[in-house]
Short mmCIF file of all heavy atoms in Angstrom, two decimals:
data_model
loop_
_atom_site.label_atom_id
_atom_site.label_comp_id
_atom_site.label_asym_id
_atom_site.label_seq_id
_atom_site.Cartn_x
_atom_site.Cartn_y
_atom_site.Cartn_z
N VAL A 245 27.06 40.74 116.78
CA VAL A 245 26.14 40.16 115.77
C VAL A 245 26.37 38.65 115.63
O VAL A 245 25.41 37.90 115.45
CB VAL A 245 26.30 40.90 114.43
CG1 VAL A 245 27.69 40.78 113.86
CG2 VAL A 245 25.23 40.46 113.44
N PHE A 246 27.65 38.19 115.72
CA PHE A 246 27.86 36.80 115.56
C PHE A 246 27.41 35.98 116.76
O PHE A 246 26.95 34.83 116.65
CB PHE A 246 29.34 36.49 115.18
CG PHE A 246 29.70 36.92 113.83
CD1 PHE A 246 31.04 37.02 113.44
CD2 PHE A 246 28.76 37.32 112.84
CE1 PHE A 246 31.41 37.42 112.14
CE2 PHE A 246 29.12 37.72 111.55
CZ PHE A 246 30.42 37.80 111.21
N ILE A 249 23.65 35.73 116.11
CA ILE A 249 23.35 34.66 115.09
C ILE A 249 23.54 33.26 115.71
O ILE A 249 22.71 32.40 115.58
CB ILE A 249 24.26 34.86 113.86
CG1 ILE A 249 23.83 36.13 113.10
CG2 ILE A 249 24.18 33.63 112.97
CD1 ILE A 249 24.76 36.47 111.98
N ILE A 254 19.37 36.45 116.00
CA ILE A 254 19.22 36.91 114.62
C ILE A 254 19.13 35.66 113.74
O ILE A 254 20.05 34.84 113.75
CB ILE A 254 20.46 37.74 114.21
CG1 ILE A 254 20.51 39.03 115.02
CG2 ILE A 254 20.41 38.04 112.70
CD1 ILE A 254 21.76 39.88 114.71
N PRO A 255 18.04 35.50 113.01
CA PRO A 255 17.90 34.25 112.20
C PRO A 255 18.92 34.23 111.08
O PRO A 255 19.21 35.24 110.45
CB PRO A 255 16.45 34.36 111.63
CG PRO A 255 15.77 35.51 112.34
CD PRO A 255 16.87 36.38 112.89
N SER A 256 19.41 33.06 110.78
CA SER A 256 20.40 32.90 109.75
C SER A 256 20.37 31.43 109.31
O SER A 256 20.01 30.57 110.10
CB SER A 256 21.78 33.30 110.25
OG SER A 256 22.73 33.35 109.20
N ILE A 268 28.08 30.22 108.21
CA ILE A 268 27.03 30.94 107.46
C ILE A 268 27.63 31.49 106.19
O ILE A 268 28.88 31.62 106.07
CB ILE A 268 26.37 32.04 108.29
CG1 ILE A 268 27.43 33.09 108.74
CG2 ILE A 268 25.65 31.51 109.53
CD1 ILE A 268 26.85 34.32 109.46
N ARG A 269 26.76 31.94 105.29
CA ARG A 269 27.18 32.67 104.11
C ARG A 269 27.39 34.17 104.51
O ARG A 269 26.59 34.71 105.22
CB ARG A 269 26.24 32.60 102.94
CG ARG A 269 26.20 31.20 102.39
CD ARG A 269 25.58 31.10 100.97
NE ARG A 269 25.39 29.68 100.67
CZ ARG A 269 26.36 28.88 100.19
NH1 ARG A 269 27.56 29.37 99.94
NH2 ARG A 269 26.12 27.65 99.94
N ASP A 270 28.44 34.72 103.98
CA ASP A 270 28.66 36.19 104.19
C ASP A 270 27.54 36.99 103.53
O ASP A 270 27.16 36.68 102.40
CB ASP A 270 30.03 36.65 103.69
CG ASP A 270 30.44 37.98 104.28
OD1 ASP A 270 29.81 39.02 103.94
OD2 ASP A 270 31.39 38.00 105.05
N ILE A 271 26.99 37.95 104.24
CA ILE A 271 25.89 38.72 103.76
C ILE A 271 26.31 39.64 102.58
O ILE A 271 25.45 40.03 101.79
CB ILE A 271 25.33 39.55 104.92
CG1 ILE A 271 23.87 39.94 104.67
CG2 ILE A 271 26.14 40.81 105.20
CD1 ILE A 271 23.18 40.50 105.95
N ARG A 272 27.59 39.90 102.50
CA ARG A 272 28.15 40.72 101.36
C ARG A 272 29.24 39.91 100.68
O ARG A 272 30.44 40.24 100.91
CB ARG A 272 28.66 42.08 101.88
CG ARG A 272 27.66 43.15 102.02
CD ARG A 272 28.29 44.48 102.31
NE ARG A 272 29.06 44.52 103.56
CZ ARG A 272 30.35 44.82 103.63
NH1 ARG A 272 31.06 45.08 102.60
NH2 ARG A 272 30.93 44.79 104.84
N PRO A 273 28.85 38.93 99.90
CA PRO A 273 29.90 38.01 99.36
C PRO A 273 30.92 38.72 98.42
O PRO A 273 30.49 39.48 97.58
CB PRO A 273 29.11 36.95 98.67
CG PRO A 273 27.77 37.53 98.41
CD PRO A 273 27.52 38.56 99.45
N ARG A 274 32.15 38.46 98.61
CA ARG A 274 33.22 39.02 97.75
C ARG A 274 33.69 37.92 96.75
O ARG A 274 34.70 38.20 96.01
CB ARG A 274 34.42 39.46 98.60
CG ARG A 274 34.35 40.95 98.90
CD ARG A 274 33.25 41.29 99.98
NE ARG A 274 33.83 41.82 101.16
CZ ARG A 274 33.36 41.58 102.38
NH1 ARG A 274 32.29 40.80 102.57
NH2 ARG A 274 33.86 42.09 103.44
N HIS A 278 31.54 32.55 99.60
CA HIS A 278 32.13 33.31 100.66
C HIS A 278 31.41 32.97 101.95
O HIS A 278 30.32 33.37 102.23
CB HIS A 278 31.99 34.84 100.37
CG HIS A 278 32.68 35.71 101.37
ND1 HIS A 278 32.77 37.10 101.25
CD2 HIS A 278 33.33 35.43 102.53
CE1 HIS A 278 33.45 37.56 102.24
NE2 HIS A 278 33.79 36.61 103.07
N LEU A 280 31.64 32.14 106.28
CA LEU A 280 32.27 32.54 107.56
C LEU A 280 32.22 31.39 108.50
O LEU A 280 31.17 30.85 108.76
CB LEU A 280 31.50 33.76 108.10
CG LEU A 280 31.45 35.02 107.25
CD1 LEU A 280 30.49 36.03 107.88
CD2 LEU A 280 32.80 35.63 107.03
N ILE A 282 32.71 30.43 112.25
CA ILE A 282 32.64 31.30 113.43
C ILE A 282 32.62 30.46 114.73
O ILE A 282 31.72 29.56 114.81
CB ILE A 282 31.33 32.14 113.34
CG1 ILE A 282 31.35 32.97 112.03
CG2 ILE A 282 31.25 33.10 114.55
CD1 ILE A 282 30.07 33.72 111.76
N VAL A 325 40.86 33.69 105.23
CA VAL A 325 41.32 35.00 105.69
C VAL A 325 40.84 35.22 107.11
O VAL A 325 39.70 34.92 107.41
CB VAL A 325 40.75 36.14 104.79
CG1 VAL A 325 41.07 37.49 105.39
CG2 VAL A 325 41.30 35.99 103.37
N VAL A 326 41.74 35.72 107.96
CA VAL A 326 41.39 36.18 109.27
C VAL A 326 41.77 37.64 109.35
O VAL A 326 42.95 37.97 109.20
CB VAL A 326 42.07 35.40 110.38
CG1 VAL A 326 41.74 35.98 111.77
CG2 VAL A 326 41.74 33.94 110.35
N ASN A 327 40.79 38.50 109.58
CA ASN A 327 41.09 39.92 109.77
C ASN A 327 41.27 40.16 111.25
O ASN A 327 40.49 39.61 112.08
CB ASN A 327 40.00 40.81 109.22
CG ASN A 327 40.00 40.81 107.68
OD1 ASN A 327 41.02 40.82 107.07
ND2 ASN A 327 38.81 40.82 107.09
N GLN A 328 42.19 41.00 111.60
CA GLN A 328 42.34 41.38 112.99
C GLN A 328 42.79 42.85 113.09
O GLN A 328 43.78 43.23 112.58
CB GLN A 328 43.48 40.46 113.67
CG GLN A 328 44.08 41.21 114.83
CD GLN A 328 44.28 40.34 116.08
OE1 GLN A 328 43.89 39.19 116.13
NE2 GLN A 328 44.91 40.93 117.06
N SER A 332 43.40 45.76 109.16
CA SER A 332 42.82 44.70 108.33
C SER A 332 41.41 45.06 107.88
O SER A 332 40.83 44.39 106.99
CB SER A 332 42.74 43.42 109.13
OG SER A 332 41.68 43.44 110.03
N GLY A 333 40.81 46.05 108.48
CA GLY A 333 39.44 46.43 108.16
C GLY A 333 38.43 45.56 108.88
O GLY A 333 37.27 45.48 108.43
N GLN A 334 38.84 44.89 109.91
CA GLN A 334 37.87 43.99 110.65
C GLN A 334 36.64 44.76 111.08
O GLN A 334 36.73 45.74 111.75
CB GLN A 334 38.58 43.38 111.87
CG GLN A 334 37.69 42.43 112.65
CD GLN A 334 38.31 41.82 113.89
OE1 GLN A 334 39.46 42.20 114.29
NE2 GLN A 334 37.71 40.85 114.48
N GLU A 335 35.48 44.27 110.64
CA GLU A 335 34.22 44.96 110.89
C GLU A 335 33.55 44.34 112.16
O GLU A 335 32.92 45.07 112.89
CB GLU A 335 33.23 44.73 109.77
CG GLU A 335 33.57 45.46 108.50
CD GLU A 335 32.61 45.02 107.36
OE1 GLU A 335 31.47 44.60 107.69
OE2 GLU A 335 33.02 45.14 106.22
N VAL A 336 33.62 43.01 112.30
CA VAL A 336 32.93 42.37 113.36
C VAL A 336 33.92 41.86 114.38
O VAL A 336 34.77 40.95 114.04
CB VAL A 336 32.07 41.20 112.83
CG1 VAL A 336 31.35 40.45 113.95
CG2 VAL A 336 31.07 41.68 111.85
N PRO A 337 33.93 42.40 115.60
CA PRO A 337 34.89 41.99 116.57
C PRO A 337 34.55 40.69 117.31
O PRO A 337 34.36 40.61 118.51
CB PRO A 337 34.90 43.15 117.56
CG PRO A 337 33.56 43.77 117.46
CD PRO A 337 33.06 43.51 116.04
N HIS A 338 34.38 39.70 116.45
CA HIS A 338 34.25 38.26 116.95
C HIS A 338 34.99 37.44 115.94
O HIS A 338 34.59 37.41 114.75
CB HIS A 338 32.72 37.96 117.00
CG HIS A 338 32.37 36.56 117.43
ND1 HIS A 338 31.40 36.26 118.39
CD2 HIS A 338 32.82 35.36 117.01
CE1 HIS A 338 31.29 34.97 118.55
NE2 HIS A 338 32.15 34.38 117.73
N LEU A 339 36.02 36.75 116.37
CA LEU A 339 36.85 35.96 115.49
C LEU A 339 36.06 35.17 114.48
O LEU A 339 35.06 34.56 114.86
CB LEU A 339 37.74 35.02 116.32
CG LEU A 339 38.64 34.15 115.47
CD1 LEU A 339 39.79 34.96 114.93
CD2 LEU A 339 39.17 33.02 116.28
N HIS A 340 36.54 35.16 113.27
CA HIS A 340 35.89 34.34 112.21
C HIS A 340 36.89 34.15 111.08
O HIS A 340 37.78 34.96 110.84
CB HIS A 340 34.62 34.97 111.68
CG HIS A 340 34.78 36.41 111.27
ND1 HIS A 340 34.85 37.42 112.22
CD2 HIS A 340 35.02 36.97 110.07
CE1 HIS A 340 35.05 38.59 111.59
NE2 HIS A 340 35.18 38.34 110.32
N LEU A 341 36.74 32.97 110.39
CA LEU A 341 37.55 32.72 109.19
C LEU A 341 36.63 33.03 107.98
O LEU A 341 35.49 32.54 107.93
CB LEU A 341 37.97 31.26 109.10
CG LEU A 341 38.68 30.58 110.24
CD1 LEU A 341 39.12 29.19 109.81
CD2 LEU A 341 39.88 31.41 110.69
N HIS A 342 37.17 33.74 107.04
CA HIS A 342 36.54 33.87 105.72
C HIS A 342 37.00 32.75 104.85
O HIS A 342 38.22 32.53 104.76
CB HIS A 342 36.89 35.19 105.06
CG HIS A 342 36.45 36.43 105.74
ND1 HIS A 342 35.34 37.13 105.33
CD2 HIS A 342 36.94 37.11 106.82
CE1 HIS A 342 35.19 38.22 106.11
NE2 HIS A 342 36.14 38.19 107.03
P1 LIG B 27 35.49 41.24 108.99
O1 LIG B 27 35.74 42.48 108.20
O2 LIG B 27 36.61 40.24 108.84
O3 LIG B 27 35.14 41.54 110.40
O4 LIG B 27 34.23 40.51 108.27
C1 LIG B 27 32.97 40.55 108.83
C2 LIG B 27 32.08 40.01 107.75
O5 LIG B 27 30.82 39.69 108.31
C3 LIG B 27 31.81 40.94 106.57
O6 LIG B 27 32.31 40.33 105.36
C4 LIG B 27 30.33 41.13 106.57
O7 LIG B 27 29.80 41.19 105.27
C5 LIG B 27 29.86 39.92 107.36
N1 LIG B 27 28.60 40.07 108.05
C6 LIG B 27 28.22 41.07 108.86
N2 LIG B 27 26.98 40.86 109.38
C7 LIG B 27 26.59 39.66 108.84
C8 LIG B 27 25.41 38.88 108.95
N3 LIG B 27 24.37 39.29 109.70
N4 LIG B 27 25.31 37.72 108.26
C9 LIG B 27 26.31 37.34 107.48
N5 LIG B 27 27.46 38.01 107.35
C10 LIG B 27 27.57 39.16 108.00
#
Side-chain angles (χ1 to χ4, degrees):
V245 64
F246 289 167
I249 290 173
I254 296 177
S256 189
I268 58 174
R269 291 198 189 279
D270 197 293
I271 204 168
R272 275 191 296 122
R274 265 73 116 217
H278 186 173
L280 300 172
I282 304 172
V325 174
V326 176
N327 289 321
Q328 155 137 356
S332 75
Q334 182 180 8
E335 290 173 26
V336 178
H338 178 132
L339 178 74
H340 49 280
L341 307 186
H342 294 258

